[in-house]
Amino acid sequence: MNYSSSPLQELDQRIISLVQQSWEEHQVPLLLSRLGAQDGGEIARLAKQESFSLAGYLRDRLAGDVRVIQHSSKPVVVGAVPADVDGEPGDFDAWLERTHGQSVGMPPRFHPAFWAAFRVPLDENKRRYMSLVPPLRFVDAYPEDRPEGDSYAEIEWEYIDSDVEPSEVQQNVDDWLEANGLDAMPFLAASKSSGGRSSSDDLLGRLLAALDADDQKRVSLPLDIVAKLRRA
């Protein structure tokens, strides 16, 4: 979406429209992690230029149109509903828990390495760590060899599954981002300049793209897993 003229007014209308669409069509809040990822992450980027966070932007500028709600026992789970929706804080948890499988607009397209990190099987003796800064890549390592510093975050076992539909992978991604208090924007794929399917669009191609030459030498996969990755 183009925000070139009156960018904040257009941003406000886009946010209001998405929040209303989520409630009117699905009767669920729009999770802020998904709202921020819309339009290639542009919503989160512009909001953060004006406020500390997307939630802060909604509270500061759109309180008359959008209501920000938070889960009582999972504070990282934050969503938005139209301001005129009747409900008390006791209702928020039930509303937010209905967001499983929620889909509003086109789903975001993530960087191949990031998406593969939630699908590629993980050795039961290792843990998976995702880089939070470019170049995006994941590292499988024994616990004692985990990457140093704050530029990696662990993707725990419960978020990784090679045998589920893309919508379930998306849910795992959303849950992981929320659990770690992260925005989706840094993990989105760059826009493609031309159409068509590339050779890396299957999951095996994404896995290869995610690993450097040294990592590829250490990875071995059974042929049935290779076939599954090629089909995905």
Side-chain angles (χ1 to χ4, degrees):
M1 184 172 181
N2 183 4
Y3 296 100
S4 57
S5 61
S6 304
L8 292 185
Q9 292 181 0
E10 291 186 15
L11 175 62
D12 292 348
Q13 290 304 312
R14 177 64 169 154
I15 290 172
I16 293 168
S17 175
L18 288 169
V19 172
Q20 289 177 339
Q21 177 188 351
S22 177
W23 189 260
E24 291 172 1
E25 296 183 2
H26 308 285
Q27 291 294 293
V28 294
L30 179 54
L31 296 176
L32 295 200
S33 61
R34 299 184 187 182
L35 173 60
Q38 291 294 315
D39 302 336
E42 192 74 352
I43 287 179
R45 187 184 69 80
L46 288 174
K48 287 189 173 182
Q49 288 179 354
E50 300 297 319
S51 299
F52 177 75
S53 66
L54 178 55
Y57 182 90
L58 300 184
R59 293 187 178 105
D60 292 342
R61 284 185 57 91
L62 298 177
D65 299 286
V66 171
R67 185 179 186 181
V68 177
I69 63 175
Q70 187 173 35
H71 198 286
S72 64
S73 62
K74 302 174 183 176
V76 296
V77 180
V78 183
V81 297
D84 58 0
V85 170
D86 292 329
E88 300 299 327
D91 301 318
F92 297 168
D93 288 359
W95 292 355
L96 290 165
E97 286 164 6
R98 292 205 304 262
T99 60
H100 183 84
Q102 172 190 0
S103 176
V104 177
M106 290 296 292
R109 182 177 179 84
F110 288 100
H111 187 284
F114 182 74
W115 187 258
F118 293 84
R119 297 211 62 173
V120 174
L122 175 62
D123 186 299
E124 63 181 9
N125 296 314
K126 294 184 178 180
R127 293 182 179 177
R128 177 162 295 165
Y129 304 94
M130 184 71 212
S131 63
L132 303 180
V133 296
L136 292 180
R137 61 192 292 264
F138 65 85
V139 175
D140 292 345
Y142 294 105
E144 62 270 21
D145 297 326
R146 68 164 294 160
E148 297 180 356
D150 298 326
S151 59
Y152 283 85
E154 181 176 358
I155 301 178
E156 291 82 359
W157 273 92
E158 61 264 30
Y159 301 111
I160 302 169
D161 199 331
S162 62
D163 196 26
V164 296
E165 295 297 319
S167 60
E168 295 177 79
V169 180
Q170 179 67 60
Q171 185 64 50
N172 286 337
V173 168
D174 290 339
D175 291 345
W176 182 81
L177 289 170
E178 289 163 7
N180 287 273
L182 297 171
D183 286 321
M185 185 175 64
F187 305 106
L188 296 176
S191 300
K192 292 185 177 180
S193 58
S194 59
R197 179 182 176 91
S198 72
S199 61
S200 64
D201 275 347
D202 60 70
L203 187 52
L204 181 61
R206 294 186 180 194
L207 171 60
L208 293 174
L211 302 175
D212 59 29
D214 290 336
D215 290 332
Q216 290 178 13
K217 293 176 183 177
R218 301 200 305 270
V219 173
S220 62
L221 294 173
L223 288 179
D224 62 325
I225 296 297
V226 171
K228 181 184 292 185
L229 295 176
R230 291 293 288 177
R231 292 193 301 269

